[in-house]
């Protein structure tokens, strides 16, 4: 956005204000263009050899950042973030969490104490998000109603099914042949 003319930034701000005022996330912004990328060293004839990539609307992605900033501000003002929570926090990363783990292991080792760690990698985590819970939690926590309603509106399309389009070049792709009928 820093490279956009001031007039464009002003128009985007007006659009985003209107979305927050009406509490309606544009369904067009949920429309994805799906491309598939062949995984290195995989058989191109198998659908499982491809990684589907969804390209979402740029303005919709910008609005998501605006909404996230507002959600994070409410979370921060309420003191709801634990020190151990590093995701979605500026100036924090998984590298910092890894450094904390190494420091803890080193300290416990020098004190002859045991250390246990559990690491989870949840497959298809995004597809398994409990959408009703995603909306229920901010409602329960008394978040601003415009945030709750905008989140609900944004995820309403995700519940039904994402809209997608394919390039004609993808028609010969096994991934498109197998799953394409679900994404049109």
């Amino acid at each position: 956005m820093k490279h956009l003319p001031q007039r464009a930034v002003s128009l985007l701000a007006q659009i985003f204000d209107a979305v927050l005022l009406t509490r309606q996330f544009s369904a067009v912004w949920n429309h994805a263009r799906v491309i598939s990328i062949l995984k290195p060293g995989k058989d191109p004839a198998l659908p499982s050899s491809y990684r589907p990539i969804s390209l979402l609307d740029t303005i919709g992605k910008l609005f998501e950042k605006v909404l996230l900033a507002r959600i994070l501000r409410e979370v921060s003002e309420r003191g709801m973030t634990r020190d151990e929570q590093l995701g979605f926090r500026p100036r924090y990363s998984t590298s910092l969490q890894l450094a904390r783990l190494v420091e803890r292991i080193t300290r416990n080792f020098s004190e002859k104490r045991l250390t246990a760690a559990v690491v989870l990698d949840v497959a298809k985590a995004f597809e398994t998000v409990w959408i009703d819970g995603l909306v229920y939690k901010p409602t329960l926590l008394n978040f601003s109603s415009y945030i709750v309603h905008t989140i609900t509106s944004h995820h309403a399309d995700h519940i039904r099914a994402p809209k997608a389009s394919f390039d004609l070049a993808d028609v010969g792709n096994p991934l498109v042949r197998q799953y394409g009928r679900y994404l049109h």
Side-chain angles (χ1 to χ4, degrees):
M1 292 226 338
K2 57 186 165 190
H3 299 294
L4 287 176
Q6 184 56 41
R7 175 82 175 127
V9 173
S10 178
L11 288 172
L12 282 175
Q14 289 175 10
I15 291 168
F16 295 165
D17 285 344
V19 170
L20 293 171
L21 186 65
T22 62
R23 303 169 180 187
Q24 291 297 312
F25 188 89
S26 173
V28 174
W29 292 346
N30 279 334
H31 186 92
R33 183 171 165 268
V34 178
I35 61 171
S36 53
I37 308 292
L38 181 64
K39 296 175 185 174
K42 298 292 183 171
D43 181 356
L46 299 174
S48 61
S49 298
Y50 291 84
R51 177 174 290 112
I53 307 292
S54 296
L55 303 175
L56 292 166
D57 185 272
T58 304
I59 295 175
K61 296 299 287 179
L62 283 172
F63 178 77
E64 287 176 352
K65 286 186 174 224
V66 168
L67 186 61
L68 177 61
R70 290 175 182 237
I71 292 168
L72 293 177
R73 185 177 63 223
E74 286 216 21
V75 167
S76 176
E77 287 172 358
R78 296 162 183 247
M80 297 170 61
T81 308
R82 297 174 50 94
D83 289 339
E84 294 82 9
Q85 169 68 38
L86 301 183
F88 301 103
R89 292 179 66 191
R91 299 178 306 280
Y92 291 91
S93 69
T94 54
S95 300
L96 178 58
Q97 197 67 300
L98 185 57
R100 286 180 176 178
L101 178 62
V102 169
E103 186 273 329
R104 171 86 37 99
I105 290 170
T106 304
R107 184 180 57 214
N108 286 352
F109 183 76
S110 68
E111 295 173 2
K112 298 188 187 318
R113 297 173 55 190
L114 295 176
T115 303
V118 176
V119 180
L120 297 175
D121 183 10
V122 180
K124 300 191 187 299
F126 182 76
E127 289 88 354
T128 61
V129 170
W130 179 38
I131 300 295
D132 290 338
L134 185 68
V135 174
Y136 173 73
K137 195 72 168 193
T139 302
L140 182 70
L141 295 169
N142 246 356
F143 272 48
S144 301
S145 63
Y146 79 90
I147 289 178
V148 175
H149 291 311
T150 307
I151 291 170
T152 304
S153 169
H154 177 19
H155 287 286
D157 272 355
H158 290 285
I159 295 167
R160 287 194 291 276
K163 296 171 188 71
S165 60
F166 296 96
D167 284 341
L168 288 176
D170 287 333
V171 172
N173 182 314
L175 186 64
V176 174
R177 284 197 310 266
Q178 181 171 348
Y179 299 111
R181 66 181 176 274
Y182 300 113
L183 299 173
H184 284 289

